[in-house]
């Protein structure tokens, strides 16, 4: 994070000064002030003055707004489940100030014209800043440059069956699309499952009469993920494509990523909140509400993902926020049930609870949910940190406040979640987007003011440097409930 310590320079007053909070970056926590002007951080240091507005953040943690790089806001075509307004209000209330929306809508976003039409539809409704993915499909490689020119954040490749009518490309189409993405400078994010294998295994289970929730897991064993991860990393390496694996879920999949990285392949890895907090016993407690693609895994896989976070092998935590109607989520036949559930509003309270339990530090949380997502998608000139020049996307957190996940306070159209009633420690007190209050105490506020984001050219992106103020040692931060 670039920074400036000391009083503000001469000139117009700050629009807002945030005093006395503990500002967290990806590698430290610092008690300091923030001076905000014109929607950006203008100064970082102690005893800043001259604010038109003053905010006392003593005793609070100040996080950069979270960047959730994996959400499905269901517009166009599936707005019975969610829409851009409801989904981005949920994000704001939960401390997420940037979302990246997936392209498996109706119709899917696979042409430059389709991308432009979706952008015009959703932009006026956004309560937080957003990026849009295009799709890497069966026959749309010639559309990729146009989607990039229209501001696509990246491309999504579905190698396995999921929501929407999105036939999985064969390897020839994948490789052609990967080369086009590399030429356009776009990240390709991958749903890495072997489609033919999962369909064969699921068909065998259906033929045997299985309709229970556990059948979904048995139909998508670890080999389904491992094979797809191996294939796509190999192809992306040959194509020169920047690759991101969405929702990696197994110990074997993470082992394979480690092996391929050791051979020189470059790839980032994301895990989901759900794959960290739930294991396969959740099928007995929640039934098909926790059906997810890829599925909730056994406890050994969950433990391996946590070890991967501790070792630095996991780069990003996201939600795969995937709303469905309440009726769709009460299906008892697993093959008729819809996969996925909401998460963008509950992510931060749930992860703050893991901070309280000692499984993460606050800098870990910022690294995984702010810093690395912004850097990977080349938004780190303005997102993912609170250094000078960054957008003033702030989340004020009371790190010790007890609470619980209350569906009655959630903003999604269908606030059905397996986390209902879960106790939490750590509360989002306020969310600011570019210096303006957009949520307070769990309630979204104001009109839609989100903006489209597109990655800056690879040669222009910067790397955030730390705040130059006295850091709080990690041990002391933990003792004070700050890390």
């Amino acid at each position: 994070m670039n920074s400036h310590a000391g009083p503000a320079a001469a000139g117009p007053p700050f629009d807002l000064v945030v005093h006395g909070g503990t500002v967290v970056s990806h590698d430290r926590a610092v008690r300091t002030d923030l001076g905000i002007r014109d929607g950006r951080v203008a100064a970082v240091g102690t005893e800043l003055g001259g604010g038109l507005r003053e905010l006392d953040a003593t005793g609070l943690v100040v996080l950069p707004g979270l960047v959730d790089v994996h959400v499905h806001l269901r517009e166009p075509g599936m707005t019975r489940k969610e829409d851009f307004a409801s989904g981005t209000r949920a994000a704001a209330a939960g401390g997420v100030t940037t979302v990246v929306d997936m392209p498996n809508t109706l119709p899917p976003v696979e042409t430059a014209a389709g991308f432009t039409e979706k952008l015009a539809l959703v932009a006026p409704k956004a309560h937080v800043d957003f990026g849009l993915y295009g799709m890497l499909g069966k026959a749309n490689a010639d559309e990729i440059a146009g989607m990039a020119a229209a501001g696509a954040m990246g491309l999504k490749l579905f190698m396995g069956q999921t929501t929407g009518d999105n036939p999985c490309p064969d390897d020839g189409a994948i490789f052609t699309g990967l080369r086009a993405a590399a030429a356009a400078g776009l990240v390709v994010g991958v749903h890495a499952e072997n489609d033919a294998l999962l369909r064969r295994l699921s068909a065998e289970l259906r033929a045997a009469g299985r309709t229970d929730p556990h059948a979904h897991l048995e139909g998508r064993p670890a080999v389904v993920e491992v094979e797809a991860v191996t294939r796509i990393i190999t192809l992306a390496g040959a194509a020169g494509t920047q690759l991101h694996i969405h929702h990696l879920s197994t110990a074997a999949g993470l082992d394979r990523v480690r092996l391929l990285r050791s051979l020189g392949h470059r790839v980032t890895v994301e895990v989901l909140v759900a794959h960290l907090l739930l294991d396969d016993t959740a099928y007995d407690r929640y039934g098909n509400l926790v059906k997810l693609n890829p599925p909730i895994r056994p406890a050994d896989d969950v433990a391996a993902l946590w070890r991967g976070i501790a070792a630095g092998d996991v780069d990003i935590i996201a939600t795969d926020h995937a709303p469905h109607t309440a009726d769709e989520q009460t299906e008892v036949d697993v093959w008729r049930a819809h996969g996925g559930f909401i998460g963008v509003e509950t992510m931060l309270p749930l992860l703050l609870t893991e901070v309280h339990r000692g499984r993460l530090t606050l800098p870990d949380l910022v690294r995984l949910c702010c810093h690395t997502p912004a850097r990977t998608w080349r938004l780190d000139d303005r997102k993912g940190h609170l250094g000078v020049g960054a957008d003033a996307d702030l989340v004020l957190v009371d790190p010790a406040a007890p609470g619980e996940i209350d569906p009655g306070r959630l903003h999604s159209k269908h606030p059905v979640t397996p986390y209902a009633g879960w106790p939490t420690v750590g509360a989002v007190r306020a969310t600011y987007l570019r210096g303006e209050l957009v949520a307070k105490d769990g309630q979204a506020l104001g009109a839609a003011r989100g903006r489209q984001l597109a990655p800056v050219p690879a040669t222009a992106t910067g790397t955030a440097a730390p705040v130059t103020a006295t850091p709080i040692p990690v041990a002391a931060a933990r003792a004070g409930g700050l890390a």
Side-chain angles (χ1 to χ4, degrees):
M1 232 186 265
N2 297 322
S3 64
H4 167 80
F14 298 116
D15 301 318
L16 173 66
V17 178
V18 181
H19 291 290
T22 298
V23 179
V24 185
S25 67
H26 67 286
D27 61 356
R28 65 187 65 196
V30 176
R31 288 193 182 97
T32 192
D33 302 340
L34 297 175
I36 296 164
R37 184 186 300 120
D38 297 329
R40 295 195 172 215
V41 178
V44 181
T46 57
E47 301 179 1
L48 297 181
L52 298 177
R53 293 175 289 156
E54 307 272 337
L55 177 62
D56 182 4
T58 302
L60 300 180
V61 166
V62 184
L63 304 177
L66 271 61
V67 180
D68 189 348
V69 296
H70 194 164
V71 304
H72 299 266
L73 300 185
R74 303 303 194 200
E75 196 163 2
M78 291 184 274
T79 53
R80 70 185 187 279
K81 301 173 185 280
E82 187 81 287
D83 59 36
F84 231 76
S86 59
T88 54
R89 280 196 298 265
V96 177
T97 55
T98 299
V99 295
V100 181
D101 188 49
M102 297 295 110
N104 55 321
T105 49
L106 296 176
V109 183
E110 54 188 357
T111 66
F115 183 95
T116 302
E117 289 170 6
K118 175 172 177 173
L119 177 60
L121 177 67
V122 304
K125 305 174 185 179
H127 288 258
V128 299
D129 289 350
F130 66 94
L132 301 178
Y133 259 19
M135 185 174 290
L136 195 165
K138 293 186 69 173
N140 72 330
D142 58 349
E143 292 284 344
I144 288 173
M147 288 191 283
M153 184 66 69
L155 300 174
K156 182 71 175 285
L157 167 62
F158 293 95
M159 298 177 75
Q161 178 273 329
T162 190
T163 299
D165 182 17
N166 310 296
C168 300
D170 61 29
D171 287 350
I174 289 174
F175 190 67
T176 301
L178 289 172
R179 289 193 299 188
L186 293 180
V187 176
V188 174
V190 183
H191 177 132
E193 292 186 290
N194 181 303
D195 190 63
L197 183 53
L198 71 85
R199 289 181 184 273
R200 173 61 63 88
L201 295 174
S202 297
E204 291 174 356
L205 289 162
R206 296 179 78 161
R210 291 284 300 279
T211 60
D212 59 284
H214 287 274
H216 181 63
L217 171 60
E218 293 177 36
R220 292 169 116 114
V223 65
V224 169
E225 179 171 272
V226 173
E227 189 282 331
V229 164
T230 304
R231 179 160 41 106
I232 193 58
I233 294 177
T234 304
L235 291 174
T241 311
Q242 184 179 350
L243 187 71
H244 176 73
I245 304 295
H246 288 291
H247 50 44
L248 192 85
S249 65
T250 64
L254 191 55
D255 284 343
R256 187 56 54 91
V257 169
R258 289 192 192 98
L259 173 61
L260 291 168
R261 281 173 168 168
S262 75
L263 297 175
H265 291 277
R266 295 181 299 122
V267 58
T268 51
V269 170
E270 160 199 313
V271 299
L272 302 183
V273 174
H275 286 136
L276 294 171
L277 299 186
L278 300 169
D279 62 31
D280 61 343
T281 62
Y283 295 117
D284 298 321
R285 298 196 304 276
Y286 304 111
N288 290 328
L289 175 56
V290 294
K291 179 181 177 182
L292 190 65
N293 301 325
I296 301 299
R297 299 293 186 181
D300 287 349
D301 290 298
V302 177
L305 297 182
W306 279 108
R307 289 193 299 271
I309 287 173
D313 297 320
V314 170
D315 304 288
I316 292 169
I317 296 176
T319 66
D320 197 1
H321 175 84
H324 299 287
T325 69
D327 288 343
E328 288 168 342
Q329 298 200 285
T330 59
E331 289 280 0
V332 295
D333 182 335
V334 71
W335 310 115
R336 292 173 56 86
H338 294 246
F341 47 88
I342 61 174
V344 72
E345 191 168 355
T346 57
M347 171 167 65
L348 183 51
L350 292 169
L351 291 180
L352 288 170
T353 304
E354 297 307 306
V355 170
H356 175 75
R357 292 172 176 163
R359 298 178 93 173
L360 293 170
T361 67
L362 285 173
D364 289 337
L365 193 158
V366 169
R367 172 175 54 85
L368 293 158
C369 300
C370 309
H371 171 80
T372 306
R375 184 181 61 185
T376 301
W377 276 267
R378 303 199 307 277
L379 302 174
D380 55 330
D381 63 321
R382 64 209 119 147
K383 301 295 185 184
H385 65 97
L386 292 173
V388 170
D391 285 352
D393 296 350
L394 320 174
V395 185
L396 303 184
V397 166
D398 183 341
E404 70 173 44
I405 303 299
D406 178 2
R409 290 177 57 83
L410 300 180
H411 290 73
S412 286
K413 283 189 173 182
H414 302 279
V416 182
T417 170
Y419 308 122
W422 278 36
T424 58
V425 179
V428 178
R429 294 303 186 204
T431 305
Y432 288 78
L433 178 67
R434 287 177 272 106
E436 296 296 327
L437 184 67
V438 293
K440 184 176 181 181
D441 291 326
Q443 291 298 312
L445 303 172
R449 60 185 309 272
R451 298 174 181 171
Q452 182 201 13
L453 299 171
V456 299
T459 56
T461 188
T463 299
V467 171
T468 54
T470 304
I472 302 170
V474 171
R478 283 201 182 100
L482 298 173

